[in-house]
Amino acid sequence: MHIKQIIIQGFKSYKDQTKIEPFSPKHNVIVGRNGSGKSNFFAAIRFVLNDAYTHLGRREERQALLHEGTGSAVMSAFVEIIFDNSDDRFPTGKPELTLRRTIGIKKDEYSLDRKNATKADVMNLLESAGFSRSNPYYIVPQGRVTALTNMKDTERLTLLKEVAGTQVYEARRSESLKIMTETNNKRAKIDELLDFIKERLSELEEEKEELRDYQEKDKERRSLQYTIDHREQTAIQDELDKINEQRQNGVNDTDDQQEQHRQGEVELAEISMEISDLKQQADLLRVEKKQLEMERKEFAKAKAKVELDLKGLTDNQSTVQESTNRQKQELQNVQTSVQQREKELANLVPGFQKAQQEEESIKSELDSAEAQRQRLYAKQGRNSRFKSKRERDDWLRSEVEEGYAQQAKMKAVRMQTMEEIKELQTEISTAEGAIATLREQYENRGSNSETMQEQISTLKAEKEHLEDERKRLWREDAKLDSIVDNAQRELNDAERTLSYKMDNNTARGLAAVRRIKRQHNLDGVYGTLAELLEVSERFSTAVEVTAGNSLFHYVVDNDETATRVLEILQKERAGRVTFMPLNRLKPNIRNVPKANDSIPMIEKIKFDLQYEKAFQQVFGKTIICPDLTVAAGYARSHGVSAITMEGDRSDKKGALSGGYHDPRQSRLDAVRKVTKWRKEYDSHKGQHIEVKRSLDRIDQEITKALGELQKLDQDRQRQANSYAPMRQELQTKVANLQSLQDSLETKKRAQSNIEANTRSITEQASAHEAELSSDFKKALTREEETQLENLSITVQDLRRRYTDLSSTRSELESRKCTIEIELRENLRPYLEQLSSRSQDDASVGGSSATHRETQSSLKRITKSLNSVTSKLQELDTSINDLNTQITSREADHSNILQAQEELAHTLERQQKRMEKNIQKKSLLQKQAAEVNQRIQDLGVLPRDAFQKFERQKSEAIVKRLHKVNEALKKYSHVNKKAFQQYESFTIQRDTLTKRREELDSSQASIEELITVLDQRKDEAIERTFKQVSKEFANVFEKLVPAGRGRLIIQRKIDRNVREDDEEESDSEEDARRESVENYTGVGISVSFNSKHDEQQRIQQLSGGQKSLCALTLIFAIQRCDPAPFYLFDEIDANLDAQYRTAVAAMIQDLSLHSTDGQFICTTFRPEMVLVAQKCYGVKYVGKSSSVVTVDREEAVGFVRDAVDTSGGGGGGGADGGAEAGGGRESMVVVGQ
């Protein structure tokens, strides 16, 4: 077993979690600067192993172990050691054991393998693995070597005793001595008691004779007293039997009358409820009748109005029909004329267009020939104007350029004209589309009106249906309003009645709890016991009497809910309520008797199993019995509360209670009534709210339908008013279209002229260019003259043809314009006027859809009126029937009420008689109890006491009893308990004698045990000294091969005289003769230079030699009592170099050749590092330590640097504050 890994967090200078890499199972070395945290590392291990931190009771002690530095405060720290348990040294059965100790301001906890453990468990586990409390030298902190060096001989002897384990023997010896002292004290007390008992027994021998005479007289007195008391007891019992018989007869009569009275009350309640229901029904029918009468008036008014509207529509429709027929005939004639003119125009237009094209073609040819002829004439005239060709050519060039300029201008004009033509064509196309759309709308205005009228009719029908539904809901609302008001009144009456049956604070508290439950939506507030139970009428009285005020205890789910509600109640001062938290109730469920004459009350109550604890708490200990006698018997025998169905009760202490319970004052009935009316009120209230919501929804739908109707009516009016503007707009658009078409014709003609002019200019320019290339001559050429003649003939012929075509075209155009003007200005406007008038007359005069709608409305209103009238008649009949029933039931109620009053008076008289009998019975029972007590006080009577004075008269018995009492007065000084005391003291004497013998035996055993313990302690000390002395010599020889060392025992005798040879005597027989108590100390004698030179005592050695001797003693102790591992903190600090090397070699040898030889050491010297198997470095940065693994070379270099820096001095210094180094990095290295 060895330490495998260590994890530290928050402990001293280790603020952050430091997880150290696994240790070697052999030799590990840690080195570092002073203040870096290496000693804190050892302190962490000792903290877990409980070596130096056993008692941390004070807050300051725990606070000192927590890291203190900058940043957030450390509230807790832990150190965790992971042991390798492959050898099963820890009896856990696992390959590893994790031991953690956690400390905080208010806690100090251990855990084993992540499970909580006690300090004792940890200590026992460590001892089982070999961590001896008597040998703490497997951990050697700083300063312990120095302490051993400076230790006196007597202190070394004490150390040797600790190693030998004498503390165990001393503890057992002290315990045995304590027991022996206690035994001696007990024996002394027993001796005193025995002396007293012997003296008392001699006195009691004399008192026994007088006691025998007294007992004879006392027997006679008790017999006489028993005879008197027995006769009185018999008389009382006869009187009680008589009262019970009278009561039983009276109870039977009272039971019959009470049952009769109860039935009468039930009958009265049923009749009252029936009368209330009948009155409510009558009220509802009256409300409904009032609503129907209002509807009948409304329907009558609506019917009269619709009949007038229908008559007006019928008369107007006849007039409109005649006008429509005339307009149809005239419209037909105009349509025929339009068709004829349009047909004639269609036939004329092709001829006109053809003539126009031919005219334009001839005109173009004429213009071309005329231009060519003019050019020839111009050329003929120019030749005479110019003197030379150059002059002519200059003029021609100027003309050509001017022609080109004119061509450009004409081209621009032509382009602009073409664009204007395109724009006109676009406008014409747009205008034609708009005209077509307008004409279609205008022509379809009749069908649009019909469609809109149908939509209006549909919406009206829907609105009327919604209005009918609203009227039905109004009636339902009025009916529910009456029902809710009635339920509210009944609920208020029931709550008022219930409040009278409890105190005011409780009533206010219950009302407040219900309100708080609703406001805060508390699901865990269930209700009172009375509200949560159901019980038949037969057992209601028994249940109510048993529960008492617990009926109004409020059941909640837990105490948190109860506390929350109570806080609100106290804050509002809203009354007082007792809560029953189900999580706190722990009912003591008894085994109640189950027989034919006893019924557990809990079985007769129905409730939700969720509330079982509450009902067991109140009713679980009560049974129901047929009569009070049976109830009293079960109450005494089974320790339960027993009650009859009439409410008479007997508890387990024998107390009886009961009497007449008026069923009219039943709190359960009051709770049932409240619950019933609350349910009805909540139910009808919910229905009323739903009806209100439906009415709101219907109102919204009606408002929406009215809005849509108004919108459609406005659309219809707007459409009707828009036909005249539409017609005007249509005429305007047609006129504009005609204007656009005329403009288009003008532009097209202008385009033709421009093209002709362009051609003329182009031909002129071409002719001038051709002339430039010709010779300059004064006259035309023959070809030109011939051409001129031909052109003149052609021009004449073309002009004649053009004149003819122009005449024809003009005639066709005149006819065409005449027809178009007639259509545009006369026929078409008249046709549109006739069509508009026909449709306007139809819409104004009333369409057939309106007429049909009015007729349908009249039928529906008539049907509704007849239905309402019929319902009114049925309601009148029903109301009369209900009034008759109410009168009959009120008469029955009055008769039964009178009989109930008479019966109540009778029951009251009987109740008073029964109360008197009960008082008398109670008095007699009290007297009987006193007599019974007197008989019991007489004690055990003589056998003849029952018959001895049976036949004597009571007067004689009383006289004789007086004489006996007078005779007994002279025995007043007699010890009445002499016999018992004598027997008791005899038993005590025998018991104490036996106990003293046991104590004598126990003392002998304890003395023997003390002797054995002393012997074993001496043997252990001697055995340990020999082992340690032997190992000291061996270890010293290894550390100082040239020297020799030994341990010397110091005794009281010849302390300074005895020779060393005698000290080392191996004679076992001599050692036993000398007691260990004579040992006064243990000295050390060594020689460093020779095995034969005179040895020196430790006081004569140098500091380094003293430290070596101390280490030798530690190694010797460890060899005698090996530990699983060893922790050394700078043990080589005060050694010379040669001795440091020897110590390092020994540790290496122990770690390599021992099965349990793990060493973890800190050092400032290189000798220890050179033999280590693993090295660790400790860094101190930002006031926090951490441990890292380093190689051996780095560790050796650090140690040598530290030695050089300190001038060859050692380490030393505590790490508690870990303050040195500040923000710099300090490092400690551990070597393996």
Side-chain angles (χ1 to χ4, degrees), residues 14 27 78 125 157 189 281 290 429 479 580 644 646 673 753 765 806 880 902 997-998 1084 1129-1130 1202:
Y14 293 87
H27 189 195
F78 74 85
L125 184 67
L157 178 60
K189 289 182 180 180
Q281 293 177 18
K290 185 177 179 181
S429 177
K479 179 179 177 182
M580 300 182 73
T644 65
E646 292 77 20
K673 193 173 182 182
N753 294 332
S806 178
N880 293 332
E902 295 175 357
E997 293 173 355
E998 292 176 354
I1084 298 177
D1129 190 4
E1130 298 184 12

Side-chain angles (χ1 to χ4, degrees), residues 3 6 23 72 83 130 202 302 397 419 513 550 799 834 904 909 1059 1087 1131 1197:
I3 294 178
I6 298 175
F23 288 97
S72 59
F83 294 96
S202 62
R397 287 190 186 93
E419 289 178 359
V513 170
S550 298
R799 187 173 288 121
L834 289 174
R909 290 193 297 270
E1059 297 294 330
S1087 173
I1131 61 174

Side-chain angles (χ1 to χ4, degrees), residues 795-1056:
V795 166
Q796 291 177 1
D797 182 53
L798 288 173
R799 187 173 288 121
R800 180 181 52 79
R801 290 174 59 190
Y802 175 72
T803 303
D804 294 340
L805 287 172
S806 178
S807 174
T808 304
R809 191 264 309 160
S810 296
E811 183 180 355
L812 291 174
E813 186 175 7
S814 175
R815 290 175 57 194
K816 172 177 167 293
C817 289
T818 301
I819 295 172
E820 287 178 348
I821 289 171
E822 184 179 5
L823 285 171
R824 185 170 62 251
E825 302 294 338
N826 186 12
L827 293 176
R828 283 177 179 163
Y830 188 50
L831 177 62
E832 290 177 358
Q833 183 179 2
L834 289 174
S835 300
S836 176
R837 189 184 303 165
S838 175
Q839 293 183 4
D840 291 344
D841 290 342
S843 60
V844 172
S847 64
S848 60
T850 304
H851 189 268
R852 289 195 301 272
E853 178 188 352
T854 306
Q855 288 179 335
S856 177
S857 297
L858 181 60
K859 289 180 181 179
R860 184 182 57 78
I861 291 171
T862 303
K863 182 178 179 181
S864 299
L865 182 60
N866 294 335
S867 175
V868 169
T869 303
S870 175
K871 287 182 180 178
L872 282 172
Q873 293 174 356
E874 293 176 358
L875 284 176
D876 289 335
T877 304
S878 299
I879 290 172
N880 293 332
D881 293 341
L882 286 173
N883 289 333
T884 302
Q885 293 180 25
I886 290 171
T887 303
S888 174
R889 298 309 287 168
E890 285 178 345
D892 296 340
H893 184 274
S894 178
N895 295 333
I896 295 175
L897 183 61
Q898 184 177 358
Q900 285 292 100
E901 291 176 354
E902 295 175 357
L903 192 58
H905 290 311
T906 303
L907 286 171
E908 187 176 357
R909 290 193 297 270
Q910 291 180 351
Q911 181 67 21
K912 290 180 179 179
R913 287 197 302 270
M914 291 179 67
E915 288 175 358
K916 289 181 180 179
N917 286 336
I918 289 175
Q919 292 175 358
K920 184 178 180 181
K921 180 179 178 181
S922 176
L923 181 61
L924 290 173
Q925 287 176 338
K926 184 177 180 181
Q927 294 175 359
E930 292 174 355
V931 172
N932 289 333
Q933 185 62 42
R934 290 202 299 270
I935 292 175
Q936 291 177 2
D937 293 341
L938 294 175
V940 179
L941 298 172
R943 293 182 180 180
D944 57 351
F946 302 102
Q947 295 88 17
K948 187 175 181 180
F949 306 103
E950 185 177 2
R951 296 186 179 182
Q952 294 183 15
K953 294 182 180 180
S954 299
E955 292 81 2
I957 293 175
V958 171
K959 289 179 181 179
R960 188 168 180 176
L961 177 62
H962 179 70
K963 291 180 181 180
V964 172
N965 287 331
E966 290 295 328
L968 285 172
K969 287 181 180 180
K970 66 179 181 178
Y971 295 101
S972 58
H973 66 284
V974 175
N975 182 7
K976 309 300 189 300
K977 298 182 179 180
F979 291 111
Q980 293 88 338
Q981 290 177 355
Y982 186 85
E983 184 179 357
S984 174
F985 279 118
T986 303
I987 294 172
Q988 290 182 21
R989 181 191 61 189
D990 296 340
T991 303
L992 289 173
T993 303
K994 184 177 179 181
R995 177 63 179 155
R996 193 180 191 288
E997 293 173 355
E998 292 176 354
L999 290 175
D1000 293 340
S1001 175
S1002 175
Q1003 184 176 11
S1005 300
I1006 292 172
E1007 290 174 349
E1008 182 180 356
L1009 175 62
I1010 290 173
T1011 303
V1012 173
L1013 289 175
D1014 289 341
Q1015 181 180 357
R1016 290 181 181 177
K1017 181 182 72 172
D1018 295 344
E1019 292 174 355
I1021 293 173
E1022 292 178 358
R1023 182 173 60 252
T1024 302
F1025 173 74
K1026 289 179 180 180
Q1027 292 177 353
V1028 174
S1029 179
K1030 179 180 178 182
E1031 294 297 334
F1032 182 87
N1034 294 335
V1035 171
F1036 191 84
E1037 184 177 358
K1038 286 186 178 181
L1039 294 177
V1040 187
R1044 184 168 69 98
R1046 58 180 176 166
L1047 297 180
I1048 303 173
I1049 194 73
Q1050 304 272 345
R1051 294 186 176 88
K1052 292 179 181 178
I1053 57 174
D1054 65 350
R1055 178 179 302 174
N1056 300 317

Side-chain angles (χ1 to χ4, degrees), residues 36-76:
S36 59
K38 61 182 184 297
S39 292
N40 289 343
F41 174 78
F42 271 82
I45 299 177
R46 298 179 68 191
F47 170 71
V48 177
L49 300 179
N50 216 5
D51 175 60
Y53 303 94
T54 55
H55 302 291
L56 296 174
R58 293 189 303 168
R59 176 190 179 100
E60 294 78 7
E61 294 175 344
R62 294 193 294 271
Q63 180 70 45
L65 298 180
L66 300 179
H67 177 81
E68 294 182 357
T70 59
S72 59
V74 175
M75 303 306 295
S76 65

Side-chain angles (χ1 to χ4, degrees), residues 343-360:
K343 183 177 181 181
E344 185 178 352
L345 182 62
N347 294 330
L348 183 61
V349 167
F352 168 73
Q353 292 177 348
K354 181 179 179 182
Q356 190 177 26
Q357 291 175 359
E358 290 178 355
E359 181 183 10
E360 291 176 355

